[in-house]
Amino acid sequence: MPARNVTVDRASFGHRVGYALRHPGRVPRHLARATRDMWLRRRYPDHVDYYRAVMRSDTRVSPDAAVGSPSRERWLALGAMQFDYLVEHGLRPGHRMLEIGCGNLRAGWRFIRHLEPGHYHGLDISPDILAAAQDTLVEKGLQGRLPTLTPVRDLKLAFLPDAHFDVVHAHSVFSHSPLPVIEECLAHVGRVLAPGGWFDFTFDRTEGEEHHVLHEDFYYRTETLVALAARYGLEARFMDDWEELPHGQSKIRVTHAPAG
């Protein structure tokens, strides 16, 4: 995978023109996305409702592509990468895990197989992708592991118990979220996080101007998200070793800030 370009503003006119000249074959798909964006933004002014509609549209074409995998091989590889990283960084079978934006269980089926029965809870704003997640459970024969899959309207997590989850995981969620949605999650995730637990999330990183592309892809500076976590009593650490892996996003780990 090419090295991350963390300085370019992908929303700028100059970048878009240059990208189109370098990749003319991708222009029709971009124009189709732009047209969909204009239509859906008019119909769904709330971002969560908007992105739920995006997921509905993408899932009809391909559940794997809807979660960012252009092929089944890449779907398997990205799921394995997430799983291996968490296991290497402390995920144990006895942990209780909450996966925010679980999609069609690209990594989730591996977590479910690894964890004790009933210890995995997956959330997603898209009922369509959760139906595909049920198909993955059947395909992998994991019904007996008793996972929970729940559609949600927001990221307030109000229906979940206090201090219950040892590990919270959100892969490629904040990369599609404006800052108020990220703040909503960080404002509430500490309540459900068990003492000594952690919350890992990925994001699209920039060291330049923060920006978005078509309301679908959002780029943030690390310090913005670290400061936002601190506002809610959470300590955030940039995961340098994740940067060495063949993935285009960066990762932050959040824990409860030490008392005092």
Side-chain angles (χ1 to χ4, degrees):
M1 174 174 289
R4 297 174 177 87
N5 187 336
V6 295
T7 59
V8 65
D9 182 350
R10 293 165 178 82
S12 70
F13 179 74
H15 173 77
R16 287 182 290 166
V17 170
Y19 187 87
L21 292 174
R22 292 191 303 273
H23 307 283
R26 300 179 186 179
V27 171
R29 183 177 182 275
H30 180 80
L31 291 176
R33 284 183 61 198
T35 301
R36 182 179 71 176
D37 172 69
M38 288 189 292
W39 164 248
L40 292 180
R41 291 301 300 178
R42 186 176 295 112
R43 189 173 183 185
Y44 302 104
D46 175 78
H47 181 78
V48 173
D49 290 340
Y50 160 80
Y51 204 74
R52 186 179 293 115
V54 169
M55 288 297 295
R56 182 184 308 119
S57 173
D58 287 347
T59 302
R60 286 172 182 165
V61 178
S62 165
D64 290 356
V67 299
S69 299
S71 67
R72 175 51 55 134
E73 291 74 21
R74 187 62 178 158
W75 186 85
L76 289 168
L78 286 174
M81 187 188 306
Q82 296 173 56
F83 174 77
D84 291 344
Y85 187 87
L86 274 189
V87 170
E88 290 167 5
H89 287 74
L91 179 67
R92 301 192 303 273
H95 281 152
R96 297 187 181 275
M97 181 177 186
L98 175 68
E99 187 166 29
I100 299 171
C102 65
N104 67 336
L105 302 180
R106 176 171 58 179
W109 72 268
R110 298 176 189 271
F111 295 138
I112 292 165
R113 186 179 61 182
H114 177 73
L115 297 169
E116 294 177 6
H119 280 213
Y120 175 90
H121 195 140
L123 310 179
D124 208 285
I125 64 168
S126 170
D128 301 88
I129 203 66
L130 285 178
Q134 293 175 350
D135 294 337
T136 300
L137 288 177
V138 174
E139 175 192 337
K140 301 299 182 182
L142 295 170
Q143 299 95 321
R145 307 301 291 179
L146 303 176
T148 299
L149 301 175
T150 305
V152 293
R153 295 187 299 267
D154 53 45
L155 295 183
K156 295 178 181 177
L157 313 175
F159 66 100
L160 295 173
D162 290 357
H164 184 72
F165 296 101
D166 304 289
V167 178
V168 181
H169 184 246
H171 184 92
S172 198
V173 174
F174 290 176
S175 54
H176 302 301
S177 302
L179 209 56
V181 173
I182 298 175
E183 181 168 9
E184 179 178 87
C185 182
L186 291 173
H188 297 282
V189 72
R191 181 185 64 80
V192 304
L193 194 61
W198 71 85
F199 171 32
D200 277 11
F201 64 82
T202 63
F203 68 104
D204 281 327
R205 179 166 62 94
T206 182
E207 294 178 0
E209 187 77 17
E210 295 183 330
H211 59 281
H212 71 81
V213 178
L214 296 179
H215 301 95
E216 291 186 33
D217 302 302
F218 291 78
Y219 293 80
Y220 296 106
R221 291 187 294 273
T222 303
E223 53 267 32
T224 296
L225 302 181
V226 169
L228 191 59
R231 186 181 302 174
Y232 295 99
L234 301 169
E235 191 171 80
R237 175 166 62 96
F238 185 79
M239 304 300 280
D240 295 281
D241 57 350
W242 176 264
E243 297 290 292
E244 301 169 7
L245 299 175
H247 192 277
Q249 296 180 12
S250 295
K251 184 184 286 282
I252 285 176
R253 173 162 292 188
V254 168
T255 57
H256 289 292

